Amino acid sequence: MEKFQEYLKDVIKDNELELKNNIDKYTFEERAYMRGYNQALKDLYFDFNVDWKDYSDEVLSFSVN
């Protein structure tokens, strides 16, 4: 899962750089879409980290019973 987290961080960073460096190439609607898409990726990253921690603590804990 660490690879997924890293990939997601890289995608967010790339999208932010694309929007910042090429803002004049996009229409207002495209920029709004890109900002919304990037925010959705950030929300996914945050939720995934919270949920994965809970999941790994509960399900992936080791037991000798």
Coordinates of all heavy atoms in Angstrom, one line a residue:
M1 N 0.8 -1.2 0.0 CA 0.0 0.0 0.0 C 0.9 1.3 0.0 O 0.4 2.3 -0.4 CB -0.9 0.0 1.2 CG -2.1 -0.9 1.1 SD -3.1 -0.4 -0.3 CE -3.8 -1.9 -0.7
E2 N 2.1 1.1 0.5 CA 2.9 2.3 0.4 C 3.2 2.8 -1.0 O 3.3 4.0 -1.2 CB 4.3 2.0 1.1 CG 4.2 1.8 2.6 CD 3.7 0.4 3.0 OE1 3.8 -0.5 2.2 OE2 3.2 0.2 4.1
K3 N 3.2 1.9 -1.9 CA 3.4 2.3 -3.3 C 2.2 3.1 -3.8 O 2.4 4.1 -4.6 CB 3.6 1.0 -4.2 CG 5.0 0.4 -4.0 CD 5.2 -0.8 -5.0 CE 6.5 -1.4 -4.8 NZ 6.7 -2.5 -5.7
F4 N 1.0 2.7 -3.4 CA -0.1 3.4 -3.8 C -0.1 4.8 -3.2 O -0.4 5.8 -3.9 CB -1.4 2.7 -3.4 CG -2.7 3.4 -3.7 CD1 -3.1 3.5 -5.0 CD2 -3.4 4.0 -2.7 CE1 -4.3 4.3 -5.3 CE2 -4.5 4.7 -2.9 CZ -5.0 4.8 -4.2
Q5 N 0.3 4.9 -2.0 CA 0.3 6.2 -1.3 C 1.4 7.1 -2.0 O 1.1 8.3 -2.3 CB 0.7 6.1 0.1 CG -0.4 5.5 1.0 CD 0.1 5.2 2.4 OE1 1.2 4.6 2.6 NE2 -0.7 5.5 3.4
E6 N 2.5 6.6 -2.4 CA 3.5 7.4 -3.1 C 3.1 7.8 -4.4 O 3.3 8.9 -4.9 CB 4.8 6.6 -3.2 CG 5.6 6.5 -1.9 CD 6.0 7.8 -1.3 OE1 6.5 8.7 -2.1 OE2 5.8 8.0 -0.1
Y7 N 2.4 6.8 -5.1 CA 1.9 7.1 -6.5 C 0.9 8.3 -6.4 O 0.9 9.2 -7.2 CB 1.3 5.9 -7.1 CG 0.7 6.1 -8.4 CD1 1.5 6.3 -9.6 CD2 -0.7 6.2 -8.6 CE1 0.9 6.5 -10.8 CE2 -1.3 6.4 -9.9 CZ -0.4 6.6 -10.9 OH -1.0 6.8 -12.2
L8 N 0.0 8.2 -5.4 CA -1.0 9.2 -5.3 C -0.4 10.6 -5.0 O -0.8 11.6 -5.5 CB -2.0 8.8 -4.2 CG -3.4 9.4 -4.1 CD1 -4.1 9.4 -5.4 CD2 -4.2 8.8 -3.0
K9 N 0.6 10.6 -4.1 CA 1.3 11.9 -3.8 C 2.0 12.4 -5.1 O 1.9 13.6 -5.3 CB 2.3 11.7 -2.7 CG 1.8 11.6 -1.3 CD 2.7 11.5 -0.2 CE 4.2 11.4 -0.4 NZ 5.0 11.3 0.8
D10 N 2.6 11.6 -5.9 CA 3.2 12.0 -7.1 C 2.2 12.6 -8.1 O 2.5 13.6 -8.7 CB 4.0 10.8 -7.7 CG 5.2 10.4 -6.9 OD1 5.7 11.2 -6.1 OD2 5.7 9.3 -7.2
V11 N 1.1 11.9 -8.2 CA 0.0 12.4 -9.1 C -0.5 13.8 -8.7 O -0.6 14.7 -9.5 CB -1.1 11.4 -9.2 CG1 -2.3 12.0 -9.9 CG2 -0.7 10.1 -9.9
I12 N -0.7 14.0 -7.4 CA -1.2 15.2 -6.9 C -0.1 16.3 -7.2 O -0.4 17.4 -7.7 CB -1.4 15.1 -5.4 CG1 -2.7 14.3 -5.1 CG2 -1.6 16.5 -4.8 CD1 -2.9 13.9 -3.7
K13 N 1.1 16.0 -6.9 CA 2.2 17.0 -7.2 C 2.3 17.3 -8.6 O 2.4 18.5 -9.0 CB 3.5 16.4 -6.7 CG 4.7 17.3 -6.8 CD 6.0 16.6 -6.3 CE 7.2 17.5 -6.7 NZ 8.4 16.8 -6.3
D14 N 2.2 16.3 -9.5 CA 2.3 16.6 -11.0 C 1.1 17.4 -11.4 O 1.3 18.3 -12.3 CB 2.3 15.2 -11.7 CG 3.6 14.5 -11.6 OD1 4.6 15.1 -11.1 OD2 3.6 13.3 -11.9
N15 N 0.0 17.1 -10.9 CA -1.2 17.9 -11.3 C -1.1 19.4 -10.9 O -1.5 20.3 -11.6 CB -2.5 17.3 -10.8 CG -2.9 16.1 -11.5 OD1 -2.4 15.8 -12.5 ND2 -3.8 15.3 -10.9
E16 N -0.6 19.6 -9.7 CA -0.4 21.0 -9.2 C 0.6 21.7 -10.0 O 0.4 22.9 -10.4 CB 0.0 21.0 -7.7 CG -1.1 20.6 -6.8 CD -0.7 20.4 -5.3 OE1 0.5 20.4 -5.1 OE2 -1.6 20.4 -4.5
L17 N 1.7 21.0 -10.4 CA 2.7 21.7 -11.2 C 2.2 22.0 -12.6 O 2.5 23.0 -13.2 CB 4.0 20.8 -11.3 CG 4.8 20.7 -10.1 CD1 5.9 19.7 -10.3 CD2 5.4 22.1 -9.8
E18 N 1.4 21.1 -13.2 CA 0.8 21.3 -14.5 C -0.1 22.5 -14.5 O 0.0 23.3 -15.4 CB 0.1 20.0 -14.9 CG -0.7 20.2 -16.2 CD 0.1 20.3 -17.4 OE1 1.3 19.9 -17.4 OE2 -0.4 20.9 -18.4
L19 N -0.9 22.6 -13.5 CA -1.8 23.7 -13.4 C -1.0 25.0 -13.2 O -1.3 26.1 -13.8 CB -2.8 23.5 -12.3 CG -3.9 24.5 -12.2 CD1 -4.7 24.6 -13.5 CD2 -4.8 24.2 -11.0
K20 N 0.0 25.0 -12.3 CA 0.7 26.2 -12.0 C 1.6 26.7 -13.2 O 1.6 27.8 -13.5 CB 1.7 25.9 -10.8 CG 2.5 27.1 -10.4 CD 3.4 26.7 -9.2 CE 4.2 27.9 -8.8 NZ 5.1 27.5 -7.7
N21 N 2.2 25.7 -13.9 CA 3.2 26.1 -15.0 C 2.5 26.4 -16.3 O 3.0 27.1 -17.1 CB 4.2 25.0 -15.2 CG 5.1 24.9 -14.0 OD1 5.3 25.8 -13.2 ND2 5.7 23.7 -13.8
N22 N 1.3 25.9 -16.5 CA 0.6 26.0 -17.8 C -0.8 26.6 -17.6 O -1.7 26.3 -18.4 CB 0.5 24.6 -18.5 CG 1.9 24.1 -18.8 OD1 2.7 24.7 -19.3 ND2 2.1 22.8 -18.4
I23 N -1.0 27.5 -16.7 CA -2.3 28.0 -16.4 C -2.9 28.7 -17.6 O -4.1 28.7 -17.8 CB -2.3 28.9 -15.1 CG1 -3.7 29.0 -14.6 CG2 -1.6 30.2 -15.4 CD1 -3.8 29.4 -13.2
D24 N -2.1 29.4 -18.4 CA -2.6 30.1 -19.5 C -3.1 29.3 -20.7 O -3.8 29.7 -21.5 CB -1.5 31.1 -20.1 CG -1.1 32.1 -19.1 OD1 -1.9 32.5 -18.2 OD2 0.1 32.6 -19.2
K25 N -2.8 28.0 -20.7 CA -3.2 27.1 -21.7 C -4.6 26.6 -21.5 O -5.2 26.0 -22.4 CB -2.3 25.9 -21.8 CG -0.9 26.1 -22.2 CD -0.1 24.9 -22.3 CE 1.3 25.1 -22.8 NZ 2.1 23.8 -22.8
Y26 N -5.2 26.8 -20.3 CA -6.5 26.2 -20.0 C -7.6 27.2 -19.9 O -7.3 28.3 -19.4 CB -6.4 25.4 -18.7 CG -5.4 24.2 -18.8 CD1 -4.2 24.3 -18.1 CD2 -5.7 23.1 -19.5 CE1 -3.3 23.2 -18.2 CE2 -4.8 22.0 -19.6 CZ -3.6 22.1 -19.0 OH -2.7 21.1 -19.0
T27 N -8.8 26.9 -20.2 CA -9.9 27.7 -20.0 C -10.3 27.8 -18.5 O -9.8 27.0 -17.7 CB -11.1 27.3 -20.8 OG1 -11.5 26.0 -20.3 CG2 -10.8 27.1 -22.3
F28 N -11.1 28.7 -18.2 CA -11.6 28.8 -16.8 C -12.3 27.5 -16.4 O -12.0 27.0 -15.3 CB -12.6 29.9 -16.7 CG -13.2 30.1 -15.3 CD1 -12.5 30.7 -14.3 CD2 -14.5 29.6 -15.1 CE1 -13.0 30.7 -13.0 CE2 -15.0 29.6 -13.8 CZ -14.3 30.2 -12.8
E29 N -13.1 26.9 -17.2 CA -13.7 25.7 -16.9 C -12.8 24.5 -16.7 O -12.9 23.7 -15.8 CB -14.8 25.3 -18.0 CG -16.0 26.2 -18.1 CD -15.7 27.5 -18.8 OE1 -14.7 27.6 -19.5 OE2 -16.6 28.4 -18.8
E30 N -11.7 24.4 -17.5 CA -10.7 23.4 -17.4 C -9.9 23.6 -16.1 O -9.6 22.6 -15.4 CB -9.8 23.4 -18.6 CG -10.4 22.9 -19.9 CD -9.6 23.2 -21.1 OE1 -8.8 24.1 -21.1 OE2 -9.7 22.3 -22.0
R31 N -9.6 24.8 -15.8 CA -8.9 25.1 -14.5 C -9.7 24.7 -13.3 O -9.2 24.1 -12.3 CB -8.5 26.5 -14.4 CG -7.4 26.9 -15.4 CD -6.8 28.2 -15.2 NE -7.7 29.3 -15.1 CZ -7.9 30.2 -16.1 NH1 -7.2 30.1 -17.2 NH2 -8.8 31.1 -16.0
A32 N -11.0 25.0 -13.3 CA -11.9 24.6 -12.3 C -12.0 23.1 -12.1 O -12.0 22.6 -11.0 CB -13.3 25.3 -12.5
Y33 N -12.1 22.4 -13.3 CA -12.2 21.0 -13.2 C -10.9 20.4 -12.6 O -10.9 19.5 -11.8 CB -12.4 20.4 -14.7 CG -12.3 18.9 -14.7 CD1 -13.4 18.2 -14.4 CD2 -11.1 18.3 -15.1 CE1 -13.4 16.8 -14.5 CE2 -11.1 16.9 -15.1 CZ -12.2 16.2 -14.8 OH -12.1 14.8 -14.8
M34 N -9.7 20.9 -13.1 CA -8.5 20.4 -12.6 C -8.3 20.7 -11.1 O -7.8 19.8 -10.4 CB -7.3 21.1 -13.4 CG -7.2 20.6 -14.8 SD -6.0 21.5 -15.8 CE -4.5 20.8 -15.2
R35 N -8.7 21.8 -10.6 CA -8.7 22.1 -9.2 C -9.5 21.1 -8.4 O -9.2 20.6 -7.4 CB -9.0 23.5 -8.9 CG -8.0 24.5 -9.3 CD -8.4 25.9 -8.8 NE -7.6 26.9 -9.4 CZ -8.0 27.7 -10.4 NH1 -9.2 27.7 -10.8 NH2 -7.1 28.6 -10.9
G36 N -10.8 20.9 -8.9 CA -11.7 20.0 -8.3 C -11.1 18.5 -8.3 O -11.2 17.8 -7.3
Y37 N -10.6 18.1 -9.4 CA -10.0 16.8 -9.5 C -8.8 16.6 -8.5 O -8.7 15.6 -7.8 CB -9.5 16.6 -10.9 CG -8.9 15.2 -11.2 CD1 -9.6 14.1 -11.1 CD2 -7.5 15.2 -11.4 CE1 -9.0 12.8 -11.4 CE2 -6.9 13.9 -11.6 CZ -7.6 12.8 -11.6 OH -7.0 11.6 -11.8
N38 N -8.0 17.7 -8.4 CA -6.9 17.6 -7.5 C -7.3 17.6 -6.1 O -6.7 16.8 -5.3 CB -5.9 18.7 -7.8 CG -4.5 18.3 -7.7 OD1 -4.1 17.2 -8.0 ND2 -3.6 19.2 -7.2
Q39 N -8.4 18.3 -5.8 CA -8.9 18.3 -4.4 C -9.5 16.9 -4.1 O -9.3 16.4 -3.0 CB -9.9 19.4 -4.2 CG -10.4 19.5 -2.8 CD -9.3 19.8 -1.8 OE1 -8.6 20.7 -2.0 NE2 -9.2 19.0 -0.7
A40 N -10.1 16.3 -5.0 CA -10.6 14.9 -4.8 C -9.5 14.0 -4.6 O -9.6 13.1 -3.7 CB -11.5 14.5 -6.1
L41 N -8.4 14.1 -5.3 CA -7.2 13.2 -5.0 C -6.7 13.5 -3.7 O -6.3 12.5 -3.0 CB -6.2 13.5 -6.1 CG -6.5 13.0 -7.5 CD1 -5.3 13.4 -8.5 CD2 -6.7 11.5 -7.5
K42 N -6.6 14.7 -3.2 CA -6.1 15.0 -1.9 C -7.0 14.4 -0.8 O -6.6 13.9 0.2 CB -6.0 16.5 -1.7 CG -4.9 17.2 -2.4 CD -4.9 18.7 -2.3 CE -3.8 19.3 -3.1 NZ -3.8 20.8 -2.9
D43 N -8.3 14.5 -1.0 CA -9.3 13.9 -0.1 C -9.1 12.4 0.0 O -9.2 11.8 1.0 CB -10.7 14.3 -0.5 CG -11.0 15.8 -0.3 OD1 -10.3 16.5 0.3 OD2 -12.0 16.2 -0.9
L44 N -9.0 11.8 -1.2 CA -8.7 10.4 -1.3 C -7.5 10.0 -0.5 O -7.5 9.0 0.2 CB -8.6 9.9 -2.7 CG -8.3 8.4 -3.0 CD1 -9.4 7.6 -2.5 CD2 -8.0 8.2 -4.4
Y45 N -6.4 10.7 -0.7 CA -5.2 10.5 0.0 C -5.3 10.6 1.5 O -4.9 9.7 2.2 CB -4.1 11.4 -0.5 CG -2.7 11.2 0.2 CD1 -1.9 10.2 -0.2 CD2 -2.3 12.1 1.2 CE1 -0.7 10.0 0.4 CE2 -1.1 11.9 1.8 CZ -0.3 10.9 1.4 OH 0.9 10.7 2.0
F46 N -6.0 11.6 2.0 CA -6.2 11.8 3.4 C -7.1 10.7 3.9 O -6.8 10.0 5.0 CB -6.9 13.1 3.6 CG -7.3 13.3 5.1 CD1 -6.3 13.7 6.0 CD2 -8.6 13.2 5.5 CE1 -6.7 13.9 7.4 CE2 -8.9 13.3 6.8 CZ -8.0 13.7 7.8
D47 N -8.2 10.4 3.3 CA -9.1 9.3 3.7 C -8.4 7.9 3.7 O -8.6 7.1 4.6 CB -10.4 9.3 2.9 CG -11.3 10.5 3.1 OD1 -11.1 11.2 4.1 OD2 -12.1 10.7 2.2
F48 N -7.6 7.7 2.7 CA -6.9 6.4 2.6 C -6.0 6.3 3.7 O -5.9 5.2 4.3 CB -6.2 6.3 1.3 CG -5.4 5.1 1.1 CD1 -6.0 3.9 0.8 CD2 -4.0 5.1 1.4 CE1 -5.3 2.7 0.6 CE2 -3.3 3.9 1.3 CZ -3.9 2.7 0.9
N49 N -5.2 7.3 4.1 CA -4.3 7.2 5.2 C -5.0 6.9 6.5 O -4.5 6.1 7.3 CB -3.4 8.5 5.3 CG -2.4 8.5 4.2 OD1 -1.9 7.5 3.7 ND2 -2.0 9.7 3.8
V50 N -6.1 7.6 6.8 CA -6.8 7.4 8.0 C -7.4 6.0 8.0 O -7.3 5.3 9.0 CB -7.9 8.5 8.1 CG1 -8.9 8.1 9.3 CG2 -7.3 9.8 8.3
D51 N -8.1 5.6 6.9 CA -8.8 4.3 6.9 C -7.7 3.2 6.9 O -8.0 2.1 7.5 CB -9.6 4.2 5.6 CG -10.9 5.1 5.7 OD1 -11.2 5.6 6.8 OD2 -11.5 5.4 4.6
W52 N -6.6 3.3 6.2 CA -5.6 2.3 6.2 C -5.0 2.0 7.5 O -4.8 0.9 7.9 CB -4.5 2.6 5.1 CG -3.5 1.6 5.1 CD1 -2.2 1.7 5.6 CD2 -3.6 0.2 4.6 NE1 -1.5 0.5 5.4 CE2 -2.3 -0.4 4.9 CE3 -4.6 -0.5 4.1 CZ2 -2.1 -1.8 4.5 CZ3 -4.4 -1.8 3.7 CH2 -3.2 -2.4 3.9
K53 N -4.8 3.1 8.3 CA -4.3 3.0 9.6 C -5.2 2.2 10.5 O -4.8 1.3 11.2 CB -4.0 4.3 10.2 CG -3.6 4.3 11.7 CD -2.2 4.6 11.9 CE -1.8 4.8 13.3 NZ -1.6 3.5 14.0
D54 N -6.5 2.5 10.4 CA -7.5 1.8 11.2 C -7.6 0.4 10.8 O -7.7 -0.6 11.6 CB -8.9 2.5 11.1 CG -9.0 3.8 11.7 OD1 -8.1 4.2 12.5 OD2 -9.9 4.6 11.4
Y55 N -7.6 0.1 9.5 CA -7.7 -1.2 8.9 C -6.5 -2.0 9.3 O -6.6 -3.2 9.8 CB -7.8 -1.2 7.4 CG -7.8 -2.5 6.7 CD1 -8.9 -3.3 6.7 CD2 -6.6 -3.0 6.1 CE1 -8.9 -4.5 6.1 CE2 -6.6 -4.2 5.5 CZ -7.7 -5.0 5.5 OH -7.7 -6.2 4.9
S56 N -5.3 -1.5 9.2 CA -4.1 -2.2 9.5 C -4.0 -2.5 11.0 O -3.6 -3.6 11.4 CB -2.9 -1.5 9.1 OG -2.7 -0.3 9.8
D57 N -4.5 -1.6 11.9 CA -4.5 -1.8 13.3 C -5.5 -2.9 13.7 O -5.2 -3.8 14.6 CB -4.9 -0.6 14.1 CG -3.7 0.5 14.0 OD1 -2.6 0.1 13.6 OD2 -4.0 1.6 14.4
E58 N -6.7 -3.0 13.1 CA -7.7 -3.9 13.4 C -7.5 -5.3 12.8 O -7.6 -6.3 13.4 CB -9.1 -3.4 13.1 CG -9.4 -2.2 13.9 CD -10.8 -1.6 13.5 OE1 -11.5 -2.2 12.7 OE2 -11.0 -0.4 13.9
V59 N -7.3 -5.3 11.5 CA -7.3 -6.5 10.7 C -6.0 -7.2 10.6 O -5.9 -8.4 10.6 CB -7.9 -6.3 9.3 CG1 -7.9 -7.5 8.4 CG2 -9.3 -5.7 9.4
L60 N -4.9 -6.4 10.5 CA -3.6 -6.9 10.2 C -2.8 -7.2 11.5 O -1.6 -7.4 11.4 CB -2.8 -6.1 9.3 CG -3.5 -5.9 7.9 CD1 -2.6 -4.9 7.1 CD2 -3.6 -7.2 7.2
S61 N -3.5 -7.1 12.6 CA -2.8 -7.3 13.9 C -2.5 -8.8 14.0 O -3.3 -9.6 13.6 CB -3.6 -6.8 15.1 OG -4.8 -7.4 15.2
F62 N -1.4 -9.1 14.7 CA -1.1 -10.5 14.8 C -1.6 -11.1 16.1 O -1.7 -10.4 17.1 CB 0.5 -10.7 14.8 CG 1.0 -10.3 13.5 CD1 1.6 -9.0 13.3 CD2 1.0 -11.1 12.4 CE1 2.2 -8.6 12.1 CE2 1.5 -10.7 11.2 CZ 2.1 -9.5 11.0
S63 N -2.0 -12.3 16.0 CA -2.5 -13.0 17.2 C -2.0 -14.4 17.2 O -1.8 -15.1 16.2 CB -4.0 -13.1 17.1 OG -4.5 -13.8 18.2
V64 N -1.7 -14.9 18.4 CA -1.2 -16.3 18.6 C -2.3 -17.2 19.0 O -2.0 -18.4 19.2 CB 0.0 -16.3 19.6 CG1 1.2 -15.6 19.1 CG2 -0.5 -15.8 21.0
N65 N -3.5 -16.8 19.1 CA -4.6 -17.6 19.4 C -5.1 -18.4 18.2 O -5.3 -18.1 17.2 CB -5.8 -16.8 20.0 CG -5.3 -16.2 21.3 OD1 -4.4 -16.7 22.0 ND2 -6.0 -15.1 21.7

